[in-house]
Amino acid sequence: MLYHVLMTAVYPLAWDPKEEYHQAYVTRIMYGDFTWFRSKQAKLWRLENLYFITTKSDGKQLFKCNRAQRHFVVTYLLCENPYWRLIILKSRQLGFTTLINLWLFDDILWNLNYEALVVAHTLEDAKQIFNKKVSYAKDNLYR
């Protein structure tokens, strides 16, 4: 509960993604204060308001961090001195592949001269991860 209060103080209030005016809301935030929009403090807001993913049950929807993802982001990535080498013990279906891929995609979009590399155990799996996560998010960005 305290975390929710802190997040609403730092980030603009979340908008219901089913609302038809979500794109206008995102555009207003982006053009209103572009320096904030590109900042590290806005990273979680960008992840949850700009990028679409596919889900098994609902199809296309905005990415929203689940509890485990949000804990990881706040504790290890958005802290004052973020960790650079992280080992995530992989349990199934927590969405860390999606989170990391969108995190890196966001870094590439909003930072000059930035590159990212994601390693998978086979080339075929790497292609599938890229197409399902990064390519889909890129193709469905707000225009």
Side-chain angles (χ1 to χ4, degrees):
M1 185 65 172
L2 176 62
Y3 175 74
H4 177 69
V5 172
L6 292 174
M7 291 303 293
T8 54
V10 175
Y11 302 111
L13 295 176
W15 191 267
D16 183 4
K18 296 188 183 352
E19 293 287 330
E20 61 186 53
Y21 299 109
H22 183 73
Q23 185 172 356
Y25 167 71
V26 170
T27 304
R28 198 168 352 115
I29 296 293
M30 187 168 84
Y31 288 116
D33 186 0
F34 193 68
T35 305
W36 176 84
F37 186 79
R38 286 191 61 224
S39 70
K40 182 179 177 179
Q41 292 82 15
K43 177 109 178 177
L44 188 58
W45 185 90
R46 285 194 314 265
L47 285 175
E48 293 189 333
N49 285 280
L50 294 182
Y51 306 115
F52 283 94
I53 59 170
T54 56
T55 62
K56 292 176 184 174
S57 58
D58 299 331
K60 178 181 173 182
Q61 70 177 39
L62 275 172
F63 174 76
K64 293 291 180 196
C65 288
N66 62 34
R67 192 171 134 222
Q69 291 168 332
R70 189 172 297 278
H71 171 75
F72 178 75
V73 167
V74 171
T75 306
Y76 300 107
L77 299 176
L78 289 179
C79 61
E80 192 170 315
N81 296 313
Y83 294 82
W84 292 104
R85 293 183 183 197
L86 299 164
I87 298 172
I88 301 171
L89 298 177
K90 192 77 165 123
S91 59
R92 303 291 298 155
Q93 304 299 317
L94 286 179
F96 278 98
T97 301
T98 302
L99 172 68
I100 297 302
N101 279 282
L102 288 179
W103 186 273
L104 294 173
F105 178 59
D106 186 77
D107 280 342
I108 291 168
L109 279 179
W110 300 105
N111 297 301
L112 294 174
N113 301 320
Y114 199 93
E115 295 179 356
L117 174 69
V118 176
V119 178
H121 53 287
T122 65
L123 179 61
E124 204 52 47
D125 285 340
K127 287 179 184 178
Q128 183 180 8
I129 290 169
F130 180 81
N131 289 334
K132 286 179 81 176
K133 313 293 184 204
V134 178
S135 202
Y136 189 84
K138 176 187 70 72
D139 293 341
N140 289 286
L141 271 174
Y142 285 120
R143 300 190 189 342

